[in-house]
Amino acid sequence: MKKNWWKKAVVYQVYPRSFYDSNEDGMGDLKGITKKLDYIKALGVNALWLCPVYQSPMDDNGYDISDYYHIDPSFGTDEDMDELIYEANKRGINIIMDMVINHCSDEHEWFQKAKKNPEGKYGKYFFIKKGKNGNPPNNWRSIFGGSAWEAIEGTPYYYLHLFTKKQVDFNWENQELREEIYKMMNWWLDKGIAGFRMDAITYIKKAEGLPSFESDGEDGMVSVSYGSLNQKGIGNFLTELRDRTYGKRNAMTVGETAGVPDEEVVDFISQENGYFSMIFDFSYCQLNLFEPNYYWYETRKWTPEDVKREMFHSHGLAGEKGWLGVCLENHDQPRCIDHYLYPDGRNYYGASMLAVMQMMLRGTPYIYQGQELGMRNCRFASIEEYDDCSTKNQYAGARKEGYSHKEAMEFMFDMSRDNARTPFQWNKSENAGFSIKTPWLKVNENYHEVNAEKQMKEQGSIWNWYKELIELRISSEYTEILTEGSMCPIMEEQKNLLAYKRVWQDKEVVVLCNYQGEEQKAQLSNKWKKVIKDNYGKVISEEKETLLLRPYEAVILEM
Ligand code: GLC
């Protein structure tokens, strides 16, 4: 594979539980993904990010790994994984594995041994400490609620978990542990995978001495961010990790890297010697929430201007040296139509404008399963119907804050991670063609209108629009400019117009997104040569160099 091949990649993210059920148990599996590879191929992508499929008690749906070397039986067998890699590669699709190495499951053999002998070899793989006067060792609050420490029954010891109490944090200071991790990652690379999505990777370094901090809530606790997010010295860990594993192999990595300050962005993503091939730009993903706790009941209004400002800021930081992963959705976020559009834009035009905004940026685009169909958020009938651990915790938090059940449910409808995890909508048959058995999670009721079979046949569908944009990006005469070209915002002052140009050698492409439900004029500095794409089909231009943009119109021009 060519150096920096990921620049010419479009990645499709699969959440295996919800993609396709091949063995009729109501849950998606690896054979199901292999069966549907031709669908993924038809869209035109060339890489597939697979959310975790390793052995796991599924407390956080696979982000709690109990054995890194084997596939969880609910997803199939180790041979099914080999088959998926083989069949994907045959179709020119590279497999990117989700790599969760900030923590493992409490059911992992190492932690089982650590619990038995906290002062022994395996105890040192984790943060295990004695409590203080019957209290946990410090006042950190876990990301999924409650203390970040859990007592080990029958002992004076506690262990640290930034996420659920079944996700135990590794002690990265321990060299033996690091060696185990490198060995395991190299083993996966040897199997023929093309890289990793690095889960929660900026949490691996903890503040020395694990100190308490001033509380930021009435519970007396403080967000774990203060002592565990992008801490000083993390660069040494990330450098070693890269050099001992993927760095030697031209493998692609994308970091889930909360908390990287502006001045460090290039260290993470420089195409010369960054820690990763790219990191996700999440700058505009939670504009409606407040740091550092992101309570779903504490929201604020956002505007398209905020999205624009944050997005351009990140791209400015990445500049020519760096490279970003660009996404609008993933398995932790609501559906983009509901998340980034006001109600007047939740239609074909809004959805296709978002697609243009994302797909033409500098950076590798990620499409989350169902995004290409315009799948939508889903309202669940009760809190019990939800599966996601974070939703349950956020609901309890909202109730504790004094919100009624009805009010709390509204927050869940907007923000729940299960919005993105409902079964993929293949066709209009029962359970949207996902499974003939009752699916593990509710199917969105709109599957008669929104499904793959219908959209693939329909000219002018969201699916066909994504397909066209992917082709434009990675296999057309514009590929060089859309991948290698620089990116520069234009007409930044004009409200609700998100516009930028891509420049490569003597070529220039201009992208205009009218991010509002009203018309507006866009005055360009010179006349375009060609309209490459327009989600309305045809531009309106009464005067030379001026375009009249209709609600949520998106235009791509060659200048
Ligand atoms: C990442 C994953 C999320 C998971 C968490 C803990 O943020 O995307 O789904 O819950 O890490 O592993």
Side-chain angles (χ1 to χ4, degrees), residues 6-17:
W6 46 84
K7 287 187 167 182
K8 291 198 173 59
V10 176
V11 184
Y12 189 77
Q13 183 192 349
V14 168
Y15 195 69
R17 263 186 173 231

Side-chain angles (χ1 to χ4, degrees), residues 108-128 169-171 174 176-177 180:
H108 193 289
E109 190 192 343
W110 297 338
F111 188 65
Q112 291 297 316
K113 289 184 177 159
K115 263 197 334 194
K116 284 204 190 107
N117 182 7
E119 301 289 352
K121 165 177 158 140
Y122 290 101
K124 298 191 178 78
Y125 278 28
F126 303 94
F127 292 101
I128 300 185
D169 277 63
F170 283 130
N171 181 359
N174 184 308
E176 251 178 282
L177 163 84
E180 290 277 12

Side-chain angles (χ1 to χ4, degrees), residues 508-524:
E508 188 178 317
V509 164
V510 160
V511 178
L512 302 170
C513 298
N514 182 20
Y515 204 148
Q516 62 176 11
E518 281 146 46
E519 294 179 346
Q520 68 175 314
K521 275 192 179 167
Q523 170 78 52
L524 292 148

Side-chain angles (χ1 to χ4, degrees), residues 49-64:
W49 154 21
L50 198 62
C51 283
V53 288
Y54 317 89
Q55 263 181 31
S56 162
M58 301 289 162
D59 189 50
D60 187 16
N61 291 356
Y63 285 91
D64 47 321

Side-chain angles (χ1 to χ4, degrees), residues 43-44 466-476 479:
L43 195 58
Y466 269 98
K467 181 174 150 64
E468 284 176 34
L469 295 177
I470 294 166
E471 189 182 340
L472 186 67
R473 185 170 177 110
I474 56 174
S475 47
S476 79
T479 295

